Amino acid sequence: MVWIKRSLVFMVLLTCCACSSFKQPGQKIDYYTLEYEPPQVQGIPALPFVLRVERFSVSPLYNTHQIIYRDRSFKRDAYPYEKWRAAPGDLVTYYLSRDFKHLGFFQAVTPYDSRVEPSLILEGSVDEFYERDSEDGWKAVLTVSTVLLAHPEPDVSKRILFQKTFHAVKPCKAKNLTSLSEAMSEAMAEVSAQVIRTTVQHLVK
């Protein structure tokens, strides 16, 4: 009889513990994004083109919402409870499209899923998008490769207007993810301005 009572007490306690664990909230996830003003590029005439910005692909190392960091060679880790609000490819695609559109020198700038027929297509890849940790502090690393294509252009030799890789490394003001987001925003602003200037240089001759 005593054994039965002890078993019942044990089962009640086990049930209470299980219910208590189910009620506990999960770990809160913090989300980060980029914020910067569109670059200013002066003296550009109106250009008779419709630009479509394709959705950029991403290196397998960084094709995730997780915030990736590197603190030693041949090693990549991710923060467990901090993430980017959108994946790196979507962030880069959005901000490049937004910045081209803000300048207003194209007839139109359309997203990758638009049905409007373009005369130019900008496509590419995000090759690096991570936090680099070292003794002298954290840095945001961004590398973007782009290809500008004439469309439609049956002659392959004339279709590619330029292919170029853009790279930016910006220091973080502090060792926290708000500072990383700020530094990555500065890197994106620099890369975006470089892409815009290179595009204009190949169209205005």
Side-chain angles (χ1 to χ4, degrees), residues 9-148:
V9 170
F10 176 76
M11 290 177 67
V12 170
L13 290 173
L14 186 63
T15 302
C16 290
C17 290
C19 292
S20 176
S21 64
F22 281 130
K23 291 179 181 179
Q24 290 186 9
Q27 178 68 41
K28 179 179 177 293
I29 303 295
D30 291 323
Y31 292 94
Y32 295 83
T33 188
L34 308 183
E35 291 183 7
Y36 69 92
E37 293 297 320
Q40 301 295 322
V41 182
Q42 304 297 329
I44 300 175
L47 299 172
F49 302 108
V50 174
L51 174 67
R52 183 169 73 199
V53 180
E54 294 285 4
R55 191 177 188 181
F56 276 47
S57 62
V58 190
S59 163
L61 293 176
Y62 311 107
N63 192 17
T64 175
H65 285 242
Q66 291 184 293
I67 298 177
I68 305 298
Y69 66 91
R70 173 190 183 275
D71 57 4
R72 68 187 71 172
S73 299
F74 307 108
K75 187 173 180 288
R76 298 292 185 277
D77 279 315
Y79 291 98
Y81 304 116
E82 292 83 11
K83 295 183 178 181
W84 295 113
R85 172 56 66 181
D90 291 333
L91 287 172
V92 169
T93 301
Y94 166 75
Y95 280 102
L96 280 175
S97 182
R98 183 205 69 168
D99 294 348
F100 270 109
K101 192 181 302 181
H102 175 81
L103 291 172
F105 51 75
F106 284 121
Q107 285 186 344
V109 178
T110 64
Y112 59 87
D113 55 355
S114 173
R115 295 184 178 180
V116 176
E117 187 70 13
S119 47
L120 296 171
I121 296 176
L122 181 70
E123 61 182 46
S125 63
V126 181
D127 304 327
E128 293 180 310
F129 196 97
Y130 71 99
E131 168 196 310
R132 180 191 295 165
D133 300 349
S134 60
E135 293 182 358
D136 60 344
W138 293 4
K139 294 181 177 66
V141 180
L142 174 63
T143 302
V144 176
S145 295
T146 60
V147 180
L148 184 66

Side-chain angles (χ1 to χ4, degrees), residues 157-187:
S157 65
K158 297 179 182 178
R159 188 179 305 163
I160 298 178
L161 301 179
F162 77 80
Q163 181 176 23
K164 190 171 182 179
T165 296
F166 303 89
H167 181 67
V169 178
K170 297 295 179 180
C172 300
K173 295 179 180 178
K175 292 183 178 181
N176 58 57
L177 293 181
T178 298
S179 294
L180 172 67
S181 300
E182 183 179 359
M184 191 64 79
S185 298
E186 293 173 0

